[in-house]
Amino acid sequence: MKIAVVGAGAIGAYVGAALHRGGAEVHLVARRDHLRAIQAEGVRVLSPRGDFTAHPHATDDPNEIGPVDYVFLGLKAHSYPSCGSLVAPLLGEHTALVAGQNGIPWWYFHRLTGPYEGRRIEAVDPGGATSKVLPPERAIGCVVYPATVIESPGVIRHLEGTRFSIGEPDGSVSRRCTELSEAMVAGGLKCPVERNLRDDIWIKLMGNAAFNPISALTRATMVDMCRHPLTRTMVARVMEEILDIAARVGSTPEISIEKRLRGAEGVGAHKTSMLQDLEAGKQLELDAIVTAVVEMADITGAEAPTLRAIHASTDLLARTVLP
């Protein structure tokens, strides 16, 4: 099995190192100091489950790699429309695209039986630009649960979690999903193949769409937002609205809001990825995490007043504070 990881950052390098350890042929596409460190010393993973070092091939030129069986996308979703030059050299006739992204994926309505089948979501597929470079028929859905950070170039700190849920947009259990799952498990990861992967997407989105923008607006950590009565109430309202939107497009995630809040509070004094990006002066992941959900509310007629207010405020923040 030949796998390329495009965007071998904190999650991408972790996945690549695990797959390489499990016996897959892995190629990492990385940049700058991180690339040079990996080429010289490999990927060093520091984990409570045990440290290890892997030595996959690493490059900044995907033409060196050629067509692969799977492309794992470790890029932020807002980079997808412009990633064609990185992905095109890797595509063979049957290459699958595995998008380890947060939020609503560009393929969401692809092969989803119902009134919205084939509908394009502008926020994550502007003018069809994402679908042009990442054809939805190649997509395997992926919900990423682990938390990782780049501690230094070539060194990944694995904080928690090993689960990468995957699934076909049409709900089938395909051979390509089964074989990828086996490769991930061989590398020490959990990788269930889910028939209803969209439910997993909404469960994770319940937290991301609430905590990420509020943290950017308030600079608060997870535990701070959960223990402050007013923001806890606001988060719960956003989660209620998220579940309403999910139900309108046919998903019914089986998780209670209170359980989701307890889990978030247990994370402790953790800064969300959106707050980290804000502090680093990077583009915020608003399009996939919030804007796309508001667009789906528009499509389905959901009111979602709390989500809309938070989206408006965070969108203004991104436009006025970031370069």
Side-chain angles (χ1 to χ4, degrees), residues 7-8 20 32-33 39 55 74 95 97 102 118 147 156 161 195 205 208 210 222-223 240 260 263 271 275 290 310:
H20 184 271
R32 297 191 286 270
D33 291 348
Q39 289 174 329
H55 296 271
T95 304
L97 299 171
N102 286 320
I156 305 299
R195 287 188 178 275
L205 194 57
N208 283 343
M222 295 288 283
V223 69
E240 289 173 357
R260 198 70 176 83
K271 294 182 179 181
L275 178 54
V290 187
I310 290 172

Side-chain angles (χ1 to χ4, degrees), residues 136-319:
E137 59 270 18
R138 291 185 181 270
I140 291 175
C142 179
V143 178
V144 176
Y145 290 93
T148 59
V149 295
I150 298 177
E151 188 153 291
S152 61
V155 180
I156 305 299
R157 172 72 65 178
H158 171 228
L159 303 173
E160 63 176 358
T162 60
R163 179 179 171 183
F164 293 79
S165 296
I166 63 173
E168 291 285 354
D170 66 359
S172 64
V173 177
S174 65
R175 180 176 178 180
R176 65 179 188 170
C177 278
T178 301
E179 292 181 350
L180 177 60
S181 173
E182 291 170 352
M184 298 278 270
V185 170
L189 304 174
K190 295 178 181 178
C191 190
V193 179
E194 303 286 359
R195 287 188 178 275
N196 298 312
L197 186 73
R198 290 177 180 85
D199 286 355
D200 283 54
I201 289 172
W202 287 107
I203 289 171
K204 187 171 183 184
L205 194 57
M206 285 172 68
N208 283 343
F211 289 114
N212 274 269
I214 293 174
S215 72
L217 293 166
T218 64
R219 312 302 198 270
T221 66
M222 295 288 283
V223 69
D224 291 335
M225 288 182 280
C226 288
R227 291 183 179 174
H228 184 264
L230 298 180
T231 53
R232 188 182 183 94
T233 298
M234 183 183 295
V235 167
R237 286 176 179 165
V238 172
M239 289 184 177
E240 289 173 357
E241 294 170 6
I242 292 289
L243 290 175
D244 176 47
I245 297 166
R248 290 168 183 258
V249 293
S251 284
T252 54
E254 295 182 2
I255 188 168
S256 72
I257 290 173
E258 186 56 36
K259 181 177 180 180
R260 198 70 176 83
L261 285 166
R262 287 197 304 270
E265 186 174 355
V267 173
H270 172 72
K271 294 182 179 181
T272 69
S273 60
M274 192 173 288
L275 178 54
Q276 292 178 47
D277 285 345
L278 179 67
E279 292 179 342
K282 297 179 180 179
Q283 182 176 345
L284 305 185
E285 280 188 287
L286 276 179
D287 291 344
I289 292 176
V290 187
T291 309
V293 187
V294 172
E295 185 176 339
M296 293 174 85
D298 291 338
I299 292 170
T300 61
E303 293 185 3
T306 313
L307 179 66
R308 292 179 188 276
I310 290 172
H311 171 245
S313 301
T314 317
D315 183 68
L316 178 61
L317 173 71
R319 293 171 187 270

Side-chain angles (χ1 to χ4, degrees), residues 63-82:
N63 289 287
E64 292 183 9
I65 302 169
V68 299
D69 299 307
Y70 299 90
V71 175
F72 184 94
L73 295 169
L75 305 167
K76 294 289 181 70
H78 51 248
S79 300
Y80 287 1
S82 59

